[in-house]
Structures are given as structure tokens and as C-alpha cells.
Amino acid sequence: MTEHETENLPTQATDSPSPNNALIQHDLGPLMDITRATASGQDAAHLLQTIVQTALTTLPSAEKGVIHLLHQDGRLEPRYCSRPWPSEQQPSGIPRGIGVAGRSLAENAVIYVADTARSLDYARLSSHQDVRSLVVAPLCFGERQMGTLSLSSAAPDAFAPSDVNIVTILAAQAAIALGQTMLLERARAERRKSDAIIDQMSEGLLILSPEDQVRRANRALGSLITGQPNAEIPPLSTIQRWVNEQLLDSHAKIMGGYCVASTIDCGPITFLSVTPSTGAEGGERVFVVHDVTSDRESTERRALFVSQISHELRTPLQHILSSVGLITEIDDLSTEERRRYLKHIEDETYHMNKLVDDLVALSRIEVGHFEVSCQPLRVDLLVSRVLGRMEPRARVKNLALAQDDDMPAVWAFSDPLRLEQVLLNILSNACKYTPARSIVHISLREDGDWVHLAVRDAGPGIPADQLRSIFDPFVRLPQNSHVPGMGLGLYISQQIMQMLGGRIDVSSSPQGGSTFGIVIPRTAEHAPDCPQE
Ligand code: ADP
């Protein structure tokens, strides 16, 4: 190699001294610096700095060190320079094969430029004033080309052949360190990504070692264990305790698809669906855990509902059958007895009909198919109509259905059929729960934009702490259990009143007697969700 020529050097130079000898003659410390930096988990950015600083310390004749890394677009991007980039010379990507660095990478060879002033290659590329001689070595990790390490001096012929060999070895070591660090960083980034996904899962995730030691748990599992939504993931020791006490103890049930567990502080019982999968790496077992408590509750509720309905339908049917049997089988039945049995059949049929109506309404409400259609209507006339329908039932119990003498003509904006349904329900409750020979009173008044209807009875009253719950579906007060009913009427009435833009409420005194109030909008303005006819 003559003084001012550009020379490609094989990555294993054959000149004497050999690269290894050169470094041994020098000092092995620099290699150790790079290895130490990798072992200490330095990130890639810091490692680049360590590599360049190590190279500069090892080769005193080098004044500047630069590392270019290969970008996805195939260009070499300057990623670290031991000196600040001159402002007029902002770093930019070097195409592969162009310039000394581009050529070093393309040819996978160490290139020494003894004097840039005489190198066409270099002059064509740039006008770096501070670079007269330079050595560029490719950074290759196995088959993978990562970039180049360039060391330069402002003086020509600054590097001896042994210096070039040292750069070759340093570049090889740096490439290994950089490759490993990048792999590690990619693995860490992947781990962070999968951690984020696992923590976002709505299902609990638990990984156990073959010895049943907790290896990993996610946030959702933490919430299941603590019983607190959005809780931080508890310490592994806490999770381990829960696993030992709750999960592994009920292993037989896990295999059956779910286990019954309480929270770590012996909180409420939850039903967990646990799907174990084996065969993970290292014999680990992965459990996906769901809280299926509400599913089980709703299954139980549905089963209870079906059995309640069956019971409610069977009872009146049996009564009807026995009345029919008596009428058909007894020849000398008196007219009075026959009338009584027929009345019985009528009552039971009425009850069954109401039950079926309520069930249909309930299912329509629950699937959102319950429709209302509003129009201006005379509430006083509607009240008279409903009282007329209730009259026969009231008479059987000797109940008086009273209304204000001078009930005014009152207009409201509502759905006549639905409003009648609500009023019938309230009145029929009043008749059901009021003892015989008492009075059920209905009153009507206007108040600004609203019409108020009130049904007052002389029944047993409703305890204050149960006034709200009677509007929940299937709630019946134990003291009224002897009276037929399913606990649906008030729930349906409340839903209807909401759809009509009004409301229903109740007050009751401890001495007995309840008053159910219905509030109806007078104009369309207050029935916003209600389509007009
Ligand atoms: P049902 O009457 O069919 O049981 P409801 O939803 O209409 O269903 O009523 C729910 C519960 O509220 C009833 O079971 C009863 O215990 C109580 N209740 C309703 N109306 C009255 C009333 N006027 N007086 C006393 N209790 C009542």
C-alpha cells in the first residue's frame, strides 16, 4: 500500500503483525470495556458511545470516531460522532456502496484512506476539512450487516498498518456487542408489548411453573384476587398464597371447568371459569381465569324464574280444573254453588291472563321492543273507564272505588293503552292488598306542566325500607305472599311511566294504607322519547 492510496483490507489482514498480535501487543483492556458495557445491559445509544471512545483511547492517532448504522431504507445513517457535527455539515444518510463508509459496507472490507486529499472516492463524497486520513471498518453480526466504524485524523498518513488491524478487531468485537444489545433491546421491546397486551386483557392470566410457583400474573387476575377492579397487581407472594389456598385446592373442580374461590382477604365468593393449558415452554401451565359469577347468577335467576312461572300458572290451572270437575261431576249442584265455582274459574283465568300479559311486557321491555305511542288524551275519562273495568272485582271484596266528586276535565299527552295498563295495575294491587269492605280512593289534579293521579288504599302498608325495592322485578313482600302475584306489575308500570316521560312513586304510613302516585306530562314537550301518533 503506497502512502496516499485507498486500500481495501480483508477483515482478517495477513500483514504482519497479525490483528490479534497487534492487539495483544497493545492491550486487551479496550475489548474488555466493550464486553463489560454489553454485560452491564447498556442500551444501544450508550454502547455506540463506548465503542467510539474505546477506539479513540486505543488509537491515539485517531482524532474523531463515527458510527454509521444501516437504516431500513438501505442508507447508512450517522448515529454517533465523537465530535459535534459542524452546523454546515448536517449528517445525512449515505447510500450503500457510495463513499468510503458505503463501500466498506458493500464490500465487507476494512478501508484505509491514507490521504483524503488524494482520494477520488472521498473527495466526491464530501468536503470534511478535519479528515485527511481515515480507517473505516464494517460492523457485521454474523450474516447481518449493521453499519460501519470510522476513525479519522486531520493529518495525512496518521494510521500505521497495525492501527488498521486494531480497528478491524475492535469493529468485530463492537459488532458482536452491538448485535447482542440490539437483539436484547428488541426482545425487551417485544416483552413490553406482550406485557401491555397481557395487562389489557379482560381475562385473568396466570402462569405457574411445573412446581406450581407463580411465574406471571396480569392486572385482571389481580382484580379477581383482590376483589377490586383496576387494582395494582399484588406482589407474587400474595398471588402465590391465593393460588395455593383457592386455586390448587380446588384442582378437581378446575378440571371441571370452573372453581369456587374467594378473594385473598376471604372476601365474597366468586365463580371462576379456569381454562388451564399445559405444554407451555419449560412445562409451565397457563391459566386463563374469568369471573363467571354473574353468568351463574343469571342462570340461577332464569331457573328460578321458570320454576316460579310454572308454579304461578299451575296453581290457577289446578283451581280451574277442580272447579270444572265439580261443575261437571255433581248433578244436583245448586245455582248458587254453580255460580260460585264459575266465579272462581273467572278469577283464576283473570289472574292467568294478567300473568301472561306481564310476562309478554317484561320480555318486550328487556329486548327493547316495548313501544309507546302518545297523543293528547282526557285523563278523567280514562280514569272512569278503568274504574268501570275494576268495578266487578272490587264488588267481590265489597270494596268501594271512590273518586273525587268534581273530577275536572284534564288533558295530558300520553299513550292511552299504556297509561290504562299502569292504572289498572295500581288499582288491582290496591284491591288485592286491601282488606274487604274498605275504600280505594282515586284522585286527579293538574300542577303546571304535569297531571297527578293518586290511588290511596287501606291495605297493610309497605315498610319504609321496602318502598323502593317493590319496583324491582320479582320482588314481593313476604307479608303478602298469601296473595297471588309475581312481583312484575310495579316493575313494568315503572318502565312504562319512564317511557311516557312521567314517573310513579309510593308513600305509605306505618299505620297502614299506601298511596301510589302517577305523574304524567301534560304536553309533548315533557315526553321527549315518546313518539307521537
Ligand atoms: P304482584 O302484586 O304481582 O306481586 P307488583 O309488582 O304489582 O307484583 O307488586 C310488588 C309487591 O309490592 C307486591 O308483591 C306487594 O308485596 C307489594 N305491593 C304492591 N302494591 C301494594 C299495595 N297497594 N299495598 C301493599 N303492598 C303492595
Side-chain angles (χ1 to χ4, degrees):
M1 184 165 75
T2 54
E3 233 185 17
H4 299 298
E5 278 176 335
T6 298
E7 185 69 21
N8 283 11
L9 300 163
T11 35
Q12 274 290 284
T14 50
D15 297 12
S16 182
S18 76
N20 288 337
N21 286 342
L23 201 75
I24 289 165
Q25 279 168 15
H26 226 270
D27 182 6
L28 283 177
L31 290 188
M32 287 305 294
D33 286 348
I34 295 175
T35 310
R36 262 196 298 271
T38 322
S40 69
Q42 237 180 36
D43 62 26
H46 282 102
L47 186 64
L48 296 182
Q49 188 177 349
T50 306
I51 292 168
V52 170
Q53 292 307 335
T54 304
L56 291 176
T57 318
T58 313
L59 296 180
S61 42
E63 291 163 0
K64 189 170 89 171
V66 180
I67 288 186
H68 287 85
L69 291 184
L70 194 58
H71 194 257
Q72 279 167 344
D73 64 6
R75 294 167 79 88
L76 277 169
E77 296 288 341
R79 293 293 290 275
Y80 180 76
C81 179
S82 60
R83 287 193 189 156
W85 297 97
S87 54
E88 77 281 3
Q89 199 183 296
Q90 282 308 309
S92 59
I94 302 171
R96 209 178 144 82
I98 304 295
V100 186
R103 211 150 62 71
S104 164
L105 193 75
E107 294 165 17
N108 194 22
V110 181
I111 297 178
Y112 173 40
V113 180
D115 188 351
T116 56
R118 301 181 58 130
S119 160
L120 281 176
D121 212 359
Y122 197 82
R124 200 173 53 226
L125 186 71
S126 66
S127 56
H128 293 235
Q129 295 302 315
D130 57 346
V131 177
R132 277 295 295 276
S133 54
L134 83 158
V135 186
V136 181
L139 296 170
C140 297
F141 182 56
E143 296 289 292
R144 187 171 152 218
Q145 293 191 312
M146 287 187 300
T148 55
L149 167 66
S150 312
L151 293 165
S152 60
S153 167
D157 299 315
F159 300 99
S162 61
D163 290 342
V164 176
N165 288 333
I166 289 169
V167 175
T168 308
I169 294 175
L170 278 175
Q173 180 71 12
I176 293 169
L178 201 58
Q180 284 175 344
T181 300
M182 283 174 159
L183 282 181
L184 205 67
E185 282 190 354
R186 197 176 309 159
R188 282 199 195 115
E190 289 298 323
R191 166 85 192 206
R192 273 197 299 277
K193 217 187 291 171
S194 66
D195 278 359
I197 293 170
I198 286 172
D199 273 344
Q200 293 300 314
M201 281 170 65
S202 54
E203 296 90 2
L205 185 101
L206 177 72
I207 301 177
L208 295 187
S209 73
E211 298 77 33
D212 288 337
Q213 292 303 301
V214 176
R215 289 258 167 89
R216 177 116 178 63
N218 70 349
R219 197 174 280 269
L221 191 92
S223 299
L224 287 175
I225 287 177
T226 55
Q228 290 160 11
N230 308 321
E232 282 302 307
I233 304 176
L236 282 192
S237 57
T238 310
I239 300 176
Q240 186 71 57
R241 186 153 54 90
W242 182 84
V243 166
N244 295 346
E245 289 170 6
Q246 305 283 343
L247 201 67
L248 298 176
D249 256 11
S250 53
H251 191 67
K253 277 184 271 171
I254 289 179
M255 291 308 172
Y258 73 92
C259 82
V260 181
S262 57
T263 55
I264 197 74
D265 53 356
C266 303
I269 295 274
T270 45
F271 289 88
L272 301 178
S273 145
V274 182
T275 316
S277 86
T278 45
E281 211 170 298
E284 287 177 335
R285 286 189 299 157
V286 181
F287 294 86
V288 178
V289 186
H290 291 264
D291 184 352
V292 289
T293 311
S294 62
D295 292 0
R296 279 191 59 88
E297 279 170 359
S298 78
T299 309
E300 280 168 14
R301 262 205 310 274
R302 207 173 311 134
L304 187 72
F305 175 61
V306 171
S307 85
Q308 257 179 328
I309 289 174
S310 313
H311 174 77
E312 288 298 319
L313 287 172
R314 194 180 297 122
T315 312
L317 264 177
Q318 278 167 350
H319 288 169
I320 290 170
L321 280 176
S322 53
S323 294
V324 169
L326 289 170
I327 293 171
T328 53
E329 282 165 25
I330 303 176
D331 293 333
D332 55 347
L333 211 58
S334 71
T335 315
E336 174 54 26
E337 282 171 320
R338 183 183 298 271
R339 207 188 58 76
R340 209 171 65 232
Y341 293 141
L342 284 173
K343 179 79 190 96
H344 211 70
I345 292 171
E346 187 191 6
D347 282 352
E348 298 297 354
T349 313
Y350 173 88
H351 174 59
M352 280 175 64
N353 195 37
K354 163 105 174 41
L355 187 68
V356 172
D357 280 352
D358 280 356
L359 288 172
V360 171
L362 176 74
S363 69
R364 286 202 178 144
I365 285 170
E366 296 211 321
V367 296
H369 287 168
F370 193 91
E371 283 169 9
V372 291
S373 169
C374 291
Q375 57 187 279
L377 60 87
R378 281 275 300 274
V379 186
D380 53 313
L381 297 182
L382 185 137
V383 170
S384 300
R385 201 163 56 242
V386 175
L387 285 177
R389 285 183 64 185
M390 283 304 296
E391 190 62 39
R393 295 198 66 210
R395 201 172 324 126
V396 177
K397 269 181 96 173
N398 263 327
L399 292 173
L401 296 180
Q403 58 176 318
D404 296 342
D405 286 340
D406 49 350
M407 196 174 270
V410 173
W411 285 90
F413 188 81
S414 198
D415 179 327
L417 285 179
R418 299 303 180 198
L419 193 57
E420 194 166 321
Q421 187 178 352
V422 172
L423 194 55
L424 262 176
N425 186 49
I426 303 293
L427 273 171
S428 92
N429 275 354
C431 294
K432 263 198 313 192
Y433 299 114
T434 297
R437 287 175 292 282
S438 39
I439 300 174
V440 172
H441 189 272
I442 184 160
S443 63
L444 173 66
R445 70 183 168 86
E446 289 172 289
D447 182 8
D449 288 340
W450 304 94
V451 173
H452 293 254
L453 264 169
V455 175
R456 194 172 71 239
D457 65 44
I462 299 159
D465 59 345
Q466 287 166 325
L467 283 174
R468 290 181 75 87
S469 65
I470 56 170
F471 292 98
D472 291 339
F474 303 109
V475 170
R476 306 208 66 221
L477 303 184
Q479 57 268 36
N480 297 329
S481 57
H482 59 285
V483 184
M486 274 214 58
L488 282 178
L490 287 180
Y491 169 70
I492 292 167
S493 301
Q494 190 186 49
Q495 298 294 314
I496 292 176
M497 287 316 298
Q498 275 173 13
M499 282 185 249
L500 295 178
R503 63 171 197 274
I504 180 170
D505 51 33
V506 61
S507 61
S508 191
S509 81
Q511 290 77 34
S514 312
T515 303
F516 282 83
I518 301 173
V519 182
I520 316 154
R522 284 186 60 191
T523 57
E525 189 192 336
H526 291 285
D529 297 334
C530 184
Q532 297 182 29
E533 262 198 342

